[in-house]
Amino acid sequence: MKCCLIILNNEYFINKLSVNMVWKIILFLLMSFVIIAGISFPIVPQPQHWYEFPNIPGLEEKAKIIFFHVPTAWISVIAFLMAMIYGIKYLRNKNLDDDAKSSSALQLGMIFCILATVTGSIWAKFTWGAFWHWDPRETSIFILLLIYGSLLALRSAIENEDKRARLSAVYSIIAFLTVPFFIFIMPRIMTGLHPGSANDDTAGPVVDFKMNANMQLIFYLSLISFTILYWWLWKIRYKTLIIIENISKKF
C-alpha cells in the first residue's frame, strides 16, 4: 500500500513538474519573440511583409515603446487590483496568507509601475526633448507611486502582523479607488502631450492606434506574456514571504 502511495505521489510530482516546465518554456518563447519583434521589426509607410509595422503619425519608430510601456502599466493595474482583492479577503477571513498575497501583489505593482514610468520617460525624451513634462499621464502615475509608496512605508512601520494586515487592507481598498481615475479618466479629460489626451485628434487611446494585424498580434502577445510573467513572479514572491514568516517565527 505504501509503495502504491509513493508511486502515485512521484507520478503527481513529475506531472506537476512537467506542467510547470511547459508553461515556463512557453513564457520564455513568448517574451523572446515579443522583445525581438518589438525592437527589430521595421516601421514603414506601406507595410508589404508580415514583419513590417505601419507608420503611426507623430510616433514613427518611437511607436515600438507601446510593446513594453503599455504592458507594464497594465500589470500595475492588475497588481494593485489583486492587492485590494486579497485585502478584502483578509478583512473577511482574518487569514494572514491573504495579507501575504496582497503584499506580494503590492510590491510587484510598484515595480511594474516604476517600469512604466521609466519607459514612458524614455519615450518622452525622444519625443518631446525631456524626460519629464508633468503631462497629465506623467502626473497621474507619479501620484500613484506616492500613494502606493506610502502603503509600503506603512507596512514597514508596523510590527504587529494583524494590525499591519488590517490597516494595509483598508488602505489598499481606498488606494485602488483612485487607480481608474488616474490611469483611465484624468489623462483623457485633460489636455496634454501624451497620445490619448483630450486635445489629441490623431492617435486616440493607445489601443486605437492604427495598427495593422501584425502590430496588433505583437501588442496582444506582449500583454499576454507580461501577464504570465507577473503571475509567475507573484507566486514566487508569495511563497518567499511565507517562508520568511515561518523562519522568523522559529527564531
Side-chain angles (χ1 to χ4, degrees), residues 66 70 137 188 194-196 203-209 211 219:
I66 68 172
V70 177
R137 285 189 185 272
R188 285 177 171 80
H194 197 286
V206 172
V207 294
D208 288 338
F209 284 152
M211 304 181 189
F219 176 72

Side-chain angles (χ1 to χ4, degrees), residues 107-152:
Q107 294 173 27
L108 286 173
M110 280 295 294
I111 292 173
F112 279 98
C113 195
I114 291 171
L115 288 174
T117 305
V118 171
T119 53
S121 295
I122 294 172
W123 183 85
K125 173 64 176 178
F126 290 101
T127 304
W128 306 325
F131 288 107
W132 202 262
H133 295 79
W134 293 108
D135 178 78
R137 285 189 185 272
E138 293 176 331
T139 304
S140 62
I141 202 167
F142 177 72
I143 294 173
L144 284 180
L145 286 172
L146 292 179
I147 291 173
Y148 281 96
S150 299
L151 177 51
L152 285 175

Side-chain angles (χ1 to χ4, degrees), residues 139-183:
T139 304
S140 62
I141 202 167
F142 177 72
I143 294 173
L144 284 180
L145 286 172
L146 292 179
I147 291 173
Y148 281 96
S150 299
L151 177 51
L152 285 175
L154 174 68
R155 291 190 63 89
S156 63
I158 302 174
E159 294 185 4
N160 183 273
E161 289 181 343
D162 294 318
K163 184 178 180 180
R164 180 177 63 220
R166 185 171 64 255
L167 291 176
S168 298
V170 174
Y171 191 114
S172 65
I173 296 170
I174 297 173
F176 187 77
L177 295 177
T178 67
V179 172
F181 175 76
F182 285 122
I183 295 295

Side-chain angles (χ1 to χ4, degrees), residues 63-75:
K64 294 180 179 180
I65 197 69
I66 68 172
F67 300 130
F68 310 101
H69 175 62
V70 177
T72 52
W74 160 255
I75 294 303

Side-chain angles (χ1 to χ4, degrees), residues 52-86:
E52 294 177 337
F53 296 145
N55 180 55
I56 299 174
L59 297 181
E60 290 78 36
E61 286 290 329
K62 299 180 290 292
K64 294 180 179 180
I65 197 69
I66 68 172
F67 300 130
F68 310 101
H69 175 62
V70 177
T72 52
W74 160 255
I75 294 303
S76 300
V77 176
I78 295 298
F80 293 148
L81 174 62
M82 286 183 61
M84 181 192 69
I85 290 173
Y86 281 105

